[in-house]
Structures are given as C-alpha cells and as structure tokens.
Coordinates of all heavy atoms in Angstrom, one line a residue:
M1 N 82.6 -48.9 -0.7 CA 82.5 -47.7 0.2 C 81.1 -47.6 0.9 O 81.0 -47.4 1.9 CB 82.8 -46.6 -0.8 CG 82.7 -45.3 -0.1 SD 84.2 -45.1 1.1 CE 84.1 -43.4 1.4
T2 N 80.1 -47.8 0.0 CA 78.7 -47.7 0.5 C 78.5 -48.8 1.5 O 77.9 -48.5 2.6 CB 77.7 -47.9 -0.6 OG1 77.9 -46.9 -1.5 CG2 76.2 -47.6 -0.1
E3 N 79.0 -50.0 1.3 CA 78.9 -51.1 2.2 C 79.5 -50.7 3.6 O 79.1 -51.0 4.7 CB 79.6 -52.4 1.7 CG 78.6 -53.4 1.3 CD 79.4 -54.6 0.7 OE1 80.1 -55.2 1.5 OE2 79.1 -55.0 -0.5
S4 N 80.7 -50.1 3.6 CA 81.4 -49.7 4.8 C 80.6 -48.6 5.6 O 80.5 -48.7 6.8 CB 82.8 -49.0 4.3 OG 83.5 -48.6 5.6
I5 N 79.9 -47.7 4.9 CA 79.2 -46.7 5.6 C 78.0 -47.4 6.3 O 77.6 -47.1 7.3 CB 78.7 -45.6 4.6 CG1 79.9 -44.8 4.2 CG2 77.6 -44.7 5.2 CD1 79.6 -43.8 3.0
D6 N 77.3 -48.3 5.4 CA 76.2 -49.1 6.0 C 76.6 -49.9 7.3 O 75.9 -49.9 8.2 CB 75.6 -49.9 5.0 CG 74.9 -49.3 3.9 OD1 74.5 -48.1 4.2 OD2 74.5 -49.8 2.9
H7 N 77.8 -50.5 7.1 CA 78.3 -51.2 8.4 C 78.4 -50.4 9.4 O 78.1 -50.7 10.6 CB 79.6 -52.0 7.9 CG 80.2 -52.8 9.0 ND1 79.5 -54.0 9.4 CD2 81.2 -52.6 9.7 CE1 80.3 -54.4 10.4 NE2 81.4 -53.6 10.6
N8 N 79.1 -49.3 9.2 CA 79.4 -48.3 10.3 C 78.1 -47.7 11.0 O 77.9 -47.6 12.1 CB 80.2 -47.1 9.9 CG 81.7 -47.5 9.7 OD1 82.1 -48.5 10.2 ND2 82.5 -46.8 8.9
R9 N 77.1 -47.5 10.1 CA 75.8 -47.0 10.6 C 75.1 -48.0 11.3 O 74.6 -47.8 12.4 CB 75.0 -46.5 9.4 CG 73.7 -45.8 9.7 CD 72.9 -45.4 8.6 NE 73.7 -44.4 7.8 CZ 73.3 -44.2 6.5 NH1 72.4 -44.7 5.9 NH2 74.1 -43.3 5.9
R10 N 75.2 -49.3 11.0 CA 74.5 -50.4 11.8 C 75.2 -50.6 13.0 O 74.5 -50.7 14.0 CB 74.6 -51.7 10.9 CG 73.8 -52.8 11.5 CD 73.7 -54.0 10.4 NE 74.7 -54.1 9.5 CZ 74.6 -54.0 8.1 NH1 73.5 -53.5 7.8 NH2 75.6 -54.2 7.3
R11 N 76.5 -50.5 13.1 CA 77.2 -50.6 14.4 C 76.9 -49.4 15.3 O 76.7 -49.6 16.5 CB 78.7 -50.6 14.1 CG 79.2 -51.9 13.6 CD 80.7 -52.0 13.5 NE 81.2 -52.0 14.9 CZ 82.5 -52.3 15.1 NH1 83.4 -52.4 14.3 NH2 82.8 -52.1 16.4
L12 N 76.7 -48.3 14.8 CA 76.4 -47.1 15.6 C 75.0 -47.2 16.2 O 74.7 -47.1 17.4 CB 76.5 -45.9 14.7 CG 76.0 -44.5 15.5 CD1 77.0 -44.2 16.6 CD2 76.0 -43.3 14.5
L13 N 74.1 -47.8 15.3 CA 72.7 -48.0 15.7 C 72.7 -49.0 17.0 O 71.9 -48.9 17.9 CB 71.8 -48.4 14.7 CG 71.4 -47.4 13.7 CD1 70.7 -47.9 12.5 CD2 70.4 -46.3 14.4
Q14 N 73.4 -50.1 16.7 CA 73.5 -51.2 17.8 C 74.1 -50.6 19.0 O 73.5 -50.9 20.2 CB 74.4 -52.3 17.3 CG 73.7 -53.1 16.1 CD 74.7 -54.3 15.5 OE1 75.9 -54.0 15.6 NE2 74.1 -55.2 15.0
A15 N 75.1 -49.8 18.9 CA 75.7 -49.2 20.1 C 74.7 -48.4 20.8 O 74.6 -48.3 22.1 CB 77.1 -48.5 19.9
S16 N 74.0 -47.6 20.1 CA 72.9 -46.6 20.7 C 71.8 -47.5 21.4 O 71.4 -47.1 22.4 CB 72.3 -45.7 19.6 OG 73.2 -45.0 19.0
T17 N 71.5 -48.6 20.8 CA 70.4 -49.5 21.4 C 70.9 -50.0 22.7 O 70.2 -50.0 23.7 CB 70.1 -50.5 20.4 OG1 69.6 -49.9 19.3 CG2 68.9 -51.4 21.0
L18 N 72.1 -50.4 22.7 CA 72.7 -51.0 23.9 C 72.8 -50.0 25.0 O 72.6 -50.2 26.2 CB 74.0 -51.7 23.6 CG 74.0 -53.0 22.9 CD1 75.4 -53.4 22.5 CD2 73.4 -54.0 23.7
M19 N 73.2 -48.7 24.6 CA 73.4 -47.7 25.7 C 72.0 -47.3 26.2 O 71.9 -47.2 27.4 CB 74.1 -46.5 25.0 CG 75.6 -46.6 24.7 SD 76.4 -45.3 23.8 CE 75.9 -44.0 24.8
A20 N 71.1 -47.3 25.4 CA 69.6 -46.9 25.9 C 69.1 -48.0 26.8 O 68.6 -47.7 27.9 CB 68.7 -46.7 24.7
A21 N 69.5 -49.4 26.5 CA 69.0 -50.3 27.4 C 69.7 -50.3 28.7 O 69.2 -50.9 29.7 CB 69.3 -51.7 26.7
A22 N 71.0 -49.7 28.7 CA 71.7 -49.8 30.0 C 71.2 -48.8 30.9 O 71.5 -48.9 32.1 CB 73.1 -49.5 29.6
I23 N 70.3 -47.8 30.5 CA 69.9 -46.7 31.4 C 68.7 -47.4 32.1 O 67.7 -47.7 31.6 CB 69.4 -45.5 30.7 CG1 70.6 -44.9 29.9 CG2 68.8 -44.5 31.6 CD1 70.2 -43.8 28.9
P24 N 68.8 -47.4 33.5 CA 67.6 -48.0 34.4 C 66.4 -47.1 34.0 O 66.5 -45.9 34.1 CB 68.1 -47.9 35.7 CG 69.6 -47.6 35.7 CD 69.9 -47.0 34.3
L25 N 65.3 -47.9 33.9 CA 64.1 -47.2 33.8 C 63.8 -46.3 34.8 O 63.2 -45.2 34.7 CB 62.8 -48.3 33.6 CG 61.6 -47.7 33.3 CD1 61.6 -46.9 32.1 CD2 60.6 -48.8 33.2
S26 N 64.2 -46.6 36.1 CA 63.9 -45.7 37.2 C 64.6 -44.4 37.1 O 64.1 -43.4 37.7 CB 64.3 -46.4 38.6 OG 65.7 -46.8 38.5
A27 N 65.7 -44.5 36.3 CA 66.4 -43.1 36.2 C 65.5 -42.1 35.3 O 65.8 -40.9 35.4 CB 67.8 -43.4 35.6
L28 N 64.7 -42.7 34.5 CA 64.0 -41.8 33.7 C 62.6 -41.4 34.2 O 61.8 -40.5 33.8 CB 63.5 -42.6 32.4 CG 64.8 -43.1 31.6 CD1 64.3 -43.9 30.3 CD2 65.6 -42.0 31.1
V29 N 62.2 -41.9 35.4 CA 61.0 -41.7 36.1 C 61.2 -40.6 37.1 O 62.2 -40.7 37.8 CB 60.3 -43.0 36.8 CG1 59.0 -42.7 37.5 CG2 60.1 -44.1 35.7
H30 N 60.4 -39.6 37.1 CA 60.6 -38.5 38.0 C 59.9 -38.9 39.3 O 58.7 -39.2 39.4 CB 59.9 -37.3 37.5 CG 60.0 -36.1 38.4 ND1 61.1 -35.5 38.7 CD2 59.1 -35.4 39.1 CE1 61.0 -34.5 39.5 NE2 59.8 -34.4 39.7
H31 N 60.6 -39.0 40.5 CA 60.1 -39.3 41.7 C 59.9 -38.1 42.5 O 60.7 -37.6 43.3 CB 61.2 -40.2 42.5 CG 61.4 -41.6 41.9 ND1 60.5 -42.6 42.1 CD2 62.3 -42.1 41.0 CE1 60.9 -43.7 41.4 NE2 62.0 -43.3 40.8
R32 N 58.6 -37.5 42.4 CA 58.3 -36.4 43.0 C 58.4 -36.5 44.5 O 58.9 -35.6 45.2 CB 57.0 -35.8 42.5 CG 56.6 -34.6 43.3 CD 55.8 -33.8 42.3 NE 55.8 -32.5 42.9 CZ 55.5 -31.4 42.2 NH1 55.4 -31.4 41.0 NH2 55.5 -30.2 42.8
T33 N 58.0 -37.6 45.1 CA 57.9 -37.7 46.6 C 59.4 -37.7 47.1 O 59.6 -37.2 48.1 CB 57.2 -38.9 47.0 OG1 57.7 -40.1 46.3 CG2 55.6 -38.8 46.7
A34 N 60.2 -38.2 46.3 CA 61.7 -38.4 46.7 C 62.3 -37.0 46.8 O 63.2 -36.7 47.6 CB 62.4 -39.2 45.9
T35 N 61.9 -36.1 46.1 CA 62.4 -34.7 46.1 C 61.5 -33.7 46.6 O 61.8 -32.5 46.6 CB 62.7 -34.3 44.6 OG1 61.6 -34.4 43.8 CG2 63.8 -35.3 44.0
A36 N 60.4 -34.1 47.2 CA 59.5 -33.1 47.7 C 60.1 -32.4 48.8 O 60.9 -32.8 49.7 CB 58.2 -33.9 48.4
A37 N 59.7 -31.0 48.8 CA 60.3 -30.0 49.9 C 59.7 -30.4 51.2 O 58.7 -31.0 51.4 CB 60.0 -28.7 49.5
P38 N 60.3 -30.0 52.3 CA 59.8 -30.3 53.7 C 58.6 -29.4 53.9 O 58.3 -28.4 53.2 CB 60.9 -29.8 54.5 CG 61.7 -28.9 53.8 CD 61.6 -29.4 52.4
Q39 N 57.7 -29.8 54.8 CA 56.5 -29.0 55.1 C 56.9 -27.7 56.0 O 57.8 -27.8 56.8 CB 55.5 -29.9 56.0 CG 55.1 -31.1 55.2 CD 54.3 -32.1 56.0 OE1 54.1 -31.9 57.2 NE2 53.8 -33.1 55.4
A40 N 56.3 -26.7 55.6 CA 56.7 -25.4 56.4 C 56.2 -25.6 57.8 O 55.2 -26.1 58.1 CB 55.9 -24.2 55.7
D41 N 57.0 -25.1 58.7 CA 56.6 -24.9 60.2 C 55.8 -23.7 60.3 O 55.9 -22.7 59.6 CB 57.8 -24.8 60.9 CG 58.6 -26.2 61.0 OD1 58.0 -27.2 61.0 OD2 59.9 -26.1 60.9
D42 N 55.0 -23.6 61.4 CA 54.3 -22.4 61.7 C 55.3 -21.3 61.9 O 56.3 -21.6 62.5 CB 53.5 -22.6 62.9 CG 52.2 -23.4 62.7 OD1 51.9 -23.8 61.6 OD2 51.4 -23.6 63.7
G43 N 54.9 -20.1 61.3 CA 55.9 -19.0 61.4 C 57.0 -18.9 60.4 O 57.8 -18.1 60.4
H44 N 57.0 -19.9 59.4 CA 58.0 -20.0 58.3 C 58.2 -18.6 57.7 O 59.3 -18.1 57.6 CB 57.5 -20.9 57.2 CG 58.5 -21.0 56.1 ND1 59.6 -21.7 56.2 CD2 58.4 -20.3 54.9 CE1 60.2 -21.5 55.0 NE2 59.5 -20.7 54.2
A45 N 57.2 -17.9 57.3 CA 57.2 -16.6 56.8 C 55.8 -16.0 56.8 O 54.8 -16.8 56.7 CB 57.7 -16.6 55.3
H46 N 55.7 -14.7 56.9 CA 54.3 -14.0 56.8 C 53.3 -14.7 57.7 O 52.1 -14.8 57.4 CB 53.8 -14.1 55.3 CG 54.7 -13.5 54.4 ND1 54.9 -12.0 54.3 CD2 55.6 -14.0 53.4 CE1 55.8 -11.8 53.4 NE2 56.2 -13.0 52.8
D47 N 53.8 -14.9 58.9 CA 52.9 -15.4 60.0 C 52.1 -16.7 59.6 O 51.0 -17.1 60.0 CB 51.8 -14.3 60.4 CG 52.4 -13.2 61.1 OD1 53.6 -13.5 61.8 OD2 51.9 -12.2 61.1
Y48 N 52.7 -17.5 58.8 CA 52.2 -18.8 58.3 C 51.8 -19.7 59.4 O 52.6 -19.8 60.4 CB 53.2 -19.5 57.3 CG 52.7 -20.9 56.9 CD1 51.8 -21.2 55.9 CD2 53.2 -22.0 57.6 CE1 51.3 -22.4 55.7 CE2 52.7 -23.4 57.4 CZ 51.9 -23.6 56.3 OH 51.5 -24.8 56.1
V49 N 50.5 -20.3 59.2 CA 50.2 -21.4 60.0 C 49.6 -22.6 59.3 O 49.0 -22.3 58.2 CB 49.1 -20.9 61.2 CG1 49.6 -20.0 62.2 CG2 47.9 -20.2 60.4
G50 N 49.9 -23.8 59.7 CA 49.4 -24.9 58.9 C 48.0 -25.2 59.0 O 47.4 -26.0 58.3
D51 N 47.3 -24.4 60.1 CA 45.9 -24.7 60.3 C 45.3 -23.3 60.4 O 45.5 -22.5 61.3 CB 45.6 -25.4 61.5 CG 44.1 -25.7 61.8 OD1 43.4 -25.0 61.1 OD2 43.8 -26.4 62.7
A52 N 44.5 -22.8 59.3 CA 44.0 -21.6 59.3 C 43.2 -21.1 60.5 O 43.2 -19.9 60.9 CB 43.2 -21.4 58.0
A53 N 42.6 -22.1 61.2 CA 42.0 -21.8 62.5 C 42.9 -21.1 63.5 O 42.5 -20.3 64.2 CB 41.3 -23.0 63.1
D54 N 44.2 -21.4 63.4 CA 45.0 -20.7 64.3 C 45.5 -19.3 63.9 O 46.1 -18.6 64.6 CB 46.4 -21.6 64.3 CG 46.3 -22.9 64.9 OD1 45.3 -23.1 65.7 OD2 47.0 -23.8 64.6
A55 N 44.9 -18.8 62.8 CA 45.1 -17.5 62.4 C 43.9 -16.6 62.7 O 43.9 -15.3 62.3 CB 45.5 -17.4 60.9
E56 N 42.9 -17.1 63.5 CA 41.7 -16.4 63.7 C 41.9 -15.0 64.3 O 41.1 -14.1 64.2 CB 40.7 -17.1 64.5 CG 40.1 -18.3 63.6 CD 39.1 -19.1 64.3 OE1 39.0 -19.1 65.5 OE2 38.3 -19.9 63.5
D57 N 42.9 -14.9 65.2 CA 43.1 -13.7 65.9 C 44.1 -12.7 65.2 O 44.5 -11.7 65.6 CB 43.7 -13.9 67.3 CG 45.0 -14.7 67.4 OD1 45.4 -15.3 66.2 OD2 45.7 -14.9 68.3
H58 N 44.5 -13.2 63.9 CA 45.4 -12.2 63.1 C 44.6 -11.3 62.4 O 43.5 -11.4 62.0 CB 46.1 -13.1 62.1 CG 47.3 -12.5 61.4 ND1 47.1 -11.5 60.6 CD2 48.6 -12.7 61.5 CE1 48.4 -11.0 60.1 NE2 49.2 -11.7 60.7
A59 N 45.2 -9.9 62.4 CA 44.5 -8.8 61.9 C 44.1 -8.9 60.5 O 43.0 -8.4 60.0 CB 45.3 -7.6 62.1
R60 N 44.9 -9.6 59.7 CA 44.5 -9.8 58.3 C 43.7 -11.0 57.9 O 43.3 -11.1 56.7 CB 45.8 -9.8 57.5 CG 46.6 -8.5 57.6 CD 47.6 -8.3 56.5 NE 46.8 -8.3 55.3 CZ 47.3 -8.5 54.1 NH1 48.6 -8.8 53.9 NH2 46.6 -8.5 53.0
Y61 N 43.5 -11.9 58.8 CA 42.8 -13.1 58.6 C 41.3 -12.8 58.4 O 40.6 -12.0 59.1 CB 43.0 -14.2 59.6 CG 42.2 -15.5 59.3 CD1 42.6 -16.3 58.4 CD2 41.0 -15.7 60.1 CE1 41.9 -17.5 58.2 CE2 40.3 -16.8 59.9 CZ 40.7 -17.7 58.9 OH 39.9 -18.8 58.8
Q62 N 40.8 -13.4 57.3 CA 39.2 -13.4 57.2 C 38.8 -14.8 57.2 O 39.4 -15.7 56.5 CB 38.8 -12.6 56.0 CG 39.2 -11.2 56.0 CD 38.8 -10.4 54.8 OE1 38.2 -10.9 53.9 NE2 39.3 -9.1 54.6
A63 N 37.6 -15.0 57.8 CA 37.1 -16.4 58.0 C 37.0 -17.1 56.6 O 36.5 -16.4 55.5 CB 35.7 -16.4 58.6
G64 N 37.4 -18.3 56.5 CA 37.3 -19.1 55.2 C 38.6 -19.1 54.4 O 38.7 -19.9 53.5
Q65 N 39.4 -18.2 54.7 CA 40.7 -18.1 53.9 C 41.6 -19.2 54.2 O 41.7 -19.6 55.4 CB 41.6 -16.7 54.2 CG 40.8 -15.5 53.6 CD 41.5 -14.3 54.1 OE1 42.4 -14.3 54.9 NE2 41.2 -13.2 53.4
Q66 N 42.1 -19.9 53.2 CA 43.0 -21.0 53.4 C 43.9 -21.2 52.1 O 43.4 -20.9 51.0 CB 42.3 -22.3 53.9 CG 41.2 -22.8 52.9 CD 40.5 -24.0 53.6 OE1 40.8 -24.4 54.6 NE2 39.5 -24.4 52.8
C67 N 45.0 -21.8 52.2 CA 46.0 -21.8 51.1 C 45.4 -22.5 49.8 O 45.7 -21.9 48.7 CB 47.2 -22.7 51.6 SG 48.2 -21.9 52.8
Q68 N 44.5 -23.5 50.0 CA 44.0 -24.0 48.8 C 43.1 -23.2 48.0 O 42.8 -23.5 46.8 CB 43.3 -25.4 49.2 CG 42.1 -25.2 50.0 CD 41.5 -26.5 50.4 OE1 41.7 -27.6 49.6 NE2 41.0 -26.6 51.6
D69 N 42.7 -21.9 48.5 CA 42.0 -21.0 47.9 C 42.6 -19.8 47.5 O 42.2 -18.7 47.1 CB 40.7 -20.7 48.6 CG 39.8 -21.8 48.9 OD1 39.7 -22.7 48.0 OD2 39.2 -22.0 50.1
C70 N 44.0 -19.8 47.6 CA 44.9 -18.7 47.5 C 45.5 -18.7 46.0 O 45.7 -19.8 45.4 CB 46.0 -18.7 48.4 SG 47.4 -17.5 48.3
R71 N 45.7 -17.5 45.5 CA 46.3 -17.4 44.1 C 47.7 -18.1 44.0 O 48.2 -18.4 42.8 CB 46.2 -16.2 43.5 CG 47.3 -15.1 44.0 CD 47.3 -13.8 43.3 NE 45.9 -13.3 43.4 CZ 45.7 -12.0 42.9 NH1 46.7 -11.3 42.5 NH2 44.5 -11.5 43.0
F72 N 48.4 -18.1 45.1 CA 49.7 -18.7 45.1 C 49.8 -20.3 45.2 O 50.8 -20.9 45.1 CB 50.5 -18.1 46.2 CG 50.8 -16.6 46.1 CD1 50.1 -15.7 46.9 CD2 51.7 -16.2 45.2 CE1 50.3 -14.3 46.7 CE2 51.9 -14.7 45.0 CZ 51.2 -13.9 45.8
W73 N 48.7 -20.9 45.5 CA 48.5 -22.3 45.7 C 48.7 -23.0 44.3 O 48.1 -22.6 43.4 CB 47.2 -22.6 46.3 CG 46.8 -24.1 46.4 CD1 46.0 -24.8 45.6 CD2 47.4 -25.0 47.5 NE1 45.9 -26.2 46.1 CE2 46.8 -26.3 47.1 CE3 48.2 -24.8 48.4 CZ2 47.2 -27.4 47.9 CZ3 48.6 -26.0 49.2 CH2 47.9 -27.2 48.9
E74 N 49.6 -23.9 44.4 CA 50.0 -24.5 43.2 C 49.6 -26.1 43.0 O 49.8 -26.8 42.1 CB 51.4 -24.6 42.9 CG 52.2 -23.2 42.7 CD 51.8 -22.7 41.3 OE1 51.8 -23.4 40.3 OE2 51.6 -21.5 41.3
G75 N 48.7 -26.5 44.0 CA 48.1 -27.7 44.0 C 48.8 -28.7 45.0 O 50.0 -28.5 45.3
E76 N 48.0 -29.7 45.3 CA 48.6 -30.6 46.3 C 49.7 -31.5 45.8 O 49.6 -31.9 44.6 CB 47.4 -31.5 46.8 CG 47.8 -32.5 47.9 CD 46.8 -33.2 48.5 OE1 45.6 -32.8 48.6 OE2 47.0 -34.4 49.0
V77 N 50.7 -31.7 46.5 CA 51.7 -32.6 46.2 C 51.6 -34.0 46.9 O 51.6 -35.1 46.3 CB 53.1 -32.0 46.6 CG1 54.3 -33.0 46.3 CG2 53.3 -30.7 45.7
E78 N 51.4 -34.0 48.2 CA 51.1 -35.1 48.9 C 50.6 -34.9 50.4 O 50.8 -33.8 50.9 CB 52.5 -35.9 49.1 CG 53.5 -35.2 49.9 CD 54.9 -35.9 49.9 OE1 55.0 -36.9 49.2 OE2 55.7 -35.4 50.6
G79 N 49.7 -35.7 50.8 CA 49.1 -35.6 52.1 C 48.5 -34.3 52.6 O 48.6 -33.9 53.7
G80 N 47.8 -33.6 51.7 CA 47.2 -32.4 51.9 C 48.2 -31.2 52.0 O 47.9 -30.0 52.3
Y81 N 49.4 -31.4 51.5 CA 50.4 -30.4 51.4 C 50.8 -30.1 49.9 O 50.7 -31.0 49.1 CB 51.8 -30.7 52.2 CG 51.5 -30.5 53.6 CD1 50.9 -31.4 54.4 CD2 52.1 -29.3 54.2 CE1 50.7 -31.3 55.8 CE2 51.8 -29.2 55.6 CZ 51.2 -30.2 56.3 OH 51.1 -30.0 57.6
G82 N 50.9 -28.8 49.6 CA 51.3 -28.6 48.3 C 52.2 -27.4 48.1 O 52.7 -26.8 49.1
E83 N 52.5 -27.0 46.9 CA 53.4 -25.9 46.6 C 52.7 -24.6 46.6 O 51.6 -24.5 46.2 CB 54.1 -26.2 45.3 CG 55.0 -27.5 45.3 CD 55.7 -27.7 44.0 OE1 55.3 -27.3 42.9 OE2 56.7 -28.6 44.0
C84 N 53.5 -23.6 47.1 CA 53.0 -22.3 47.0 C 54.0 -21.4 46.2 O 55.2 -21.6 46.3 CB 53.2 -21.6 48.4 SG 52.9 -19.9 48.6
S85 N 53.5 -20.6 45.2 CA 54.4 -20.0 44.3 C 54.9 -18.7 44.8 O 55.7 -18.1 44.2 CB 53.8 -19.8 43.0 OG 52.5 -18.9 43.1
H86 N 54.6 -18.3 46.0 CA 55.0 -17.1 46.6 C 56.6 -17.4 46.9 O 56.9 -18.4 47.5 CB 54.4 -16.8 47.9 CG 54.9 -15.5 48.4 ND1 56.0 -15.2 49.1 CD2 54.2 -14.3 48.4 CE1 56.1 -14.0 49.4 NE2 55.0 -13.2 49.0
P87 N 57.5 -16.4 46.6 CA 59.0 -16.7 46.8 C 59.4 -17.0 48.1 O 60.3 -17.8 48.3 CB 59.6 -15.4 46.2 CG 58.5 -14.6 45.6 CD 57.3 -15.2 45.9
D88 N 58.7 -16.6 49.1 CA 59.0 -16.8 50.5 C 58.7 -18.2 50.9 O 59.1 -18.8 52.1 CB 58.5 -15.8 51.4 CG 59.1 -14.5 51.2 OD1 60.2 -14.4 50.7 OD2 58.4 -13.5 51.6
F89 N 58.0 -19.0 50.1 CA 57.7 -20.5 50.4 C 58.2 -21.3 49.3 O 57.8 -22.5 49.1 CB 56.1 -20.5 50.5 CG 55.6 -19.8 51.6 CD1 55.1 -18.5 51.5 CD2 55.4 -20.4 52.8 CE1 54.6 -17.8 52.6 CE2 54.9 -19.7 54.1 CZ 54.5 -18.4 53.8
A90 N 59.2 -20.9 48.6 CA 59.7 -21.7 47.4 C 60.4 -23.0 47.8 O 60.2 -23.9 47.0 CB 60.8 -20.8 46.6
D91 N 60.8 -23.1 49.0 CA 61.7 -24.3 49.4 C 60.8 -25.3 50.3 O 61.4 -26.2 50.8 CB 63.0 -23.9 50.2 CG 63.8 -23.2 49.1 OD1 63.7 -23.4 47.9 OD2 64.7 -22.4 49.6
V92 N 59.5 -25.0 50.5 CA 58.8 -25.7 51.5 C 57.3 -26.1 50.9 O 57.0 -25.5 49.7 CB 58.5 -25.0 52.9 CG1 59.8 -24.9 53.6 CG2 57.8 -23.6 52.5
L93 N 56.7 -27.0 51.4 CA 55.3 -27.2 51.1 C 54.4 -26.7 52.1 O 54.8 -26.6 53.4 CB 55.0 -28.8 51.0 CG 55.8 -29.6 50.0 CD1 55.5 -31.0 50.0 CD2 55.5 -29.0 48.6
V94 N 53.3 -26.1 51.8 CA 52.3 -25.6 52.7 C 51.1 -26.4 52.8 O 50.7 -27.0 51.8 CB 51.9 -24.1 52.3 CG1 53.2 -23.2 52.5 CG2 51.3 -24.0 50.9
S95 N 50.4 -26.3 53.9 CA 49.2 -27.1 54.1 C 48.0 -26.5 53.3 O 47.8 -25.3 53.2 CB 48.8 -27.2 55.6 OG 47.5 -27.6 55.7
A96 N 47.2 -27.4 52.7 CA 46.0 -26.9 52.0 C 45.1 -26.0 53.0 O 44.5 -25.1 52.4 CB 45.2 -28.1 51.4
D97 N 45.1 -26.4 54.2 CA 44.3 -25.8 55.2 C 45.1 -24.7 55.9 O 44.6 -24.1 57.0 CB 43.9 -26.8 56.3 CG 43.0 -28.0 55.6 OD1 42.4 -27.7 54.6 OD2 43.2 -29.1 56.1
G98 N 46.2 -24.3 55.4 CA 47.1 -23.3 56.1 C 46.7 -21.9 55.6 O 45.7 -21.7 54.9
W99 N 47.4 -21.0 56.1 CA 47.2 -19.6 55.8 C 48.5 -18.9 56.1 O 49.3 -19.1 57.1 CB 46.0 -19.1 56.7 CG 45.7 -17.5 56.5 CD1 44.8 -17.1 55.5 CD2 46.1 -16.4 57.2 NE1 44.8 -15.8 55.5 CE2 45.5 -15.3 56.6 CE3 47.0 -16.3 58.2 CZ2 45.9 -14.0 57.1 CZ3 47.3 -15.0 58.7 CH2 46.7 -13.8 58.1
C100 N 48.6 -17.6 55.4 CA 49.5 -16.6 55.8 C 49.1 -15.3 55.4 O 48.1 -15.2 54.8 CB 50.9 -17.0 55.2 SG 51.1 -16.3 53.5
D101 N 49.8 -14.2 55.9 CA 49.2 -12.9 55.7 C 49.4 -12.3 54.4 O 49.1 -11.1 54.2 CB 49.8 -12.0 56.9 CG 51.2 -11.6 56.7 OD1 51.8 -12.0 55.7 OD2 51.8 -11.0 57.6
V102 N 49.9 -13.0 53.4 CA 49.9 -12.6 52.0 C 48.8 -13.3 51.2 O 48.8 -13.3 50.0 CB 51.2 -12.6 51.3 CG1 52.2 -11.6 51.9 CG2 51.9 -14.0 51.4
F103 N 47.9 -13.9 51.9 CA 46.8 -14.7 51.2 C 46.2 -13.7 50.3 O 45.8 -12.6 50.5 CB 45.7 -15.1 52.2 CG 44.5 -15.7 51.5 CD1 44.4 -17.1 51.2 CD2 43.4 -14.9 51.3 CE1 43.4 -17.6 50.6 CE2 42.3 -15.5 50.6 CZ 42.3 -16.9 50.4
A104 N 45.9 -14.2 49.0 CA 45.2 -13.5 48.0 C 44.2 -14.5 47.3 O 44.7 -15.5 46.9 CB 46.2 -12.9 47.0
P105 N 43.0 -14.0 47.2 CA 42.0 -14.9 46.6 C 42.4 -15.4 45.2 O 42.8 -14.6 44.4 CB 40.7 -14.1 46.6 CG 40.9 -12.9 47.6 CD 42.4 -12.8 47.5
A106 N 42.1 -16.6 45.0 CA 42.4 -17.1 43.6 C 41.5 -16.5 42.5 O 40.4 -16.1 42.9 CB 42.3 -18.6 43.6
Ligands
SF4_201 S1 50.7 -17.3 49.9 FE1 48.8 -18.2 49.9 S2 49.2 -20.4 49.5 FE2 51.1 -19.4 50.0 S3 51.2 -19.8 52.3 FE3 50.3 -17.8 52.0 S4 48.1 -18.3 52.0 FE4 49.2 -20.2 51.7

C-alpha cells in the first residue's frame, strides 16, 4: 500500500515537473512595454500638454511645474513618459515634461 502511494506521488511530481517545463519562460516575464498605455495627446484632460512650456499662458500654470514633480507622477515607463495616478489619466502615459491644471506639488 505504501509503495503504491509512493509510486502515485512520484508520478504526480513527474507530471508537475513536465507541466512546469512546458510553460514558456516568456509567458512568465512581464512585458511592460508590450502593454504600455498610449501617450496622452494635448488636451487629453485638464488642459494637459506634453510640454509644460505650452502651458505658460494658462491661468493655473506656475513656472517650473511639470509632471515629473507632481504628486500624481508614478515614474517613467519609457522614453520620458510615465504613469499618472490621477483617474483621468489612468489609460495613458504622460510626459515627464508635461503639465495639466490639476498639478499638485509632490
Ligand atoms: S496630474 Fe500631475 S502628473 Fe498627472 S498629468 Fe497632471 S500634472 Fe501631469
């Protein structure tokens, strides 16, 4: 009886090992760039602009403000663009040098 249980356990372990080997390594690696959100266009929300210099005539803009210094900035993802945690920018990347009218100092 014990031999049968050991045999079944050994077969289960072998099957598990084979199944794990069958999973491509690439399936386990998170490809952030493949799933990166699109870059926000100017005017996406809250008068967003990809270059803060273009906001100089905005009533709420103050010199030096830019996304990478905002409390909603979540860090760069690629090419100077990163995630913004403000809900109106949930599906896009914003420019580190960008700005919008809900800017809040970090
Ligand atoms: S909330 Fe902040 S980080 Fe997000 S787009 Fe506006 S200024 Fe940039």
